[in-house]
Amino acid sequence: MRSRLLEWIGPEAHKITISTFHSFCNSVIQEHAALFGHYDLQPITDLERIKIIRAVIDGLEKNHLLRKNNLFRYVNEKGLSSLFKLMKQEGWSYDYINTYVIEYLKGLPDNPDYKYKRKTGAHSKGDLKVDKIEKEQRKMERLLALASCYNPFIEQLKEARRYEYDDMILWVLKAFQENKDLLSSYQEKFLYFLVDEYQDTNHSQYLIVKSLADKFENICVVGDDAQSIYGFRGANIENILSFQKDYPSASVYRLEQNYRSTQNIVNAANSVIKNNLNKLEKEVWTENEIGEKIEIK
């Protein structure tokens, strides 16, 4: 990106701040080290992470759901690791998940998917699918059991003087929420904010951007809702779909011409994308040749 800017605007490009979310948050922490008080913390290694998660499991009460199968005590290790990462990326707490689960389970009896749509054996139309509801209740019980380990995990990280990269975003977000002077200094430091690949931001990253741009609404984002490929790491496509709700005066420019692909590939892509339920309407087109037919092997 820096090289492109140098081609377009020359040496002025060196005055522009270009960073990832993590490197931006790291710079905020380094510039205000006394405020954050994280002088002696070290990034956690994969091995240390496993050890801490296992220590959390070992510290659970013997009647805890995750400890009932003591022969395979660490079978939930990967599940815990994935959930903790998602909780940080989306800014979820245990209380948030618990509230969600209560509301979710409360609504199951009214959900058409959990009712018989026609008479089936001993069940009449409209009867509850009790087995299916109980299965969902067991899933939610396990989710809460996993989520209950989050706070002990955070405490163990602190004791070990270790941090994860997603922690930096949460620290800066918390500092922006609690220290208005700090937030204001960064809101006024930059003339404009430009976020690339906006469809791949998670909720915590979204909140950082929103905090920075809230004062002057001096923001431009670039992204394609049809290309959100990082759902596995917490990317939230709702961020790009709701951008106009956050900034009602924003202008939308649709970049619909495809310069890279042949007509056959563009047609095939459009035929698949049109089935997406949540999307921004656009029609991709190209002036390129028809090209070879697509083969399915």
Side-chain angles (χ1 to χ4, degrees), residues 11 87 93 128 146 172 198 220 254 296:
M87 288 175 75
S93 64
L128 291 178
L146 292 168
V172 171
Y198 192 65
C220 172
R254 289 176 172 78
I296 300 175

Side-chain angles (χ1 to χ4, degrees), residues 263-276 279 282-284 294:
Q263 185 68 58
N264 273 333
I265 289 177
V266 169
N267 290 345
N270 281 336
S271 71
V272 173
I273 291 168
K274 72 180 182 182
N275 296 296
N276 290 353
K279 61 180 183 292
K282 58 185 176 294
E283 187 64 35
V284 179
I294 295 173

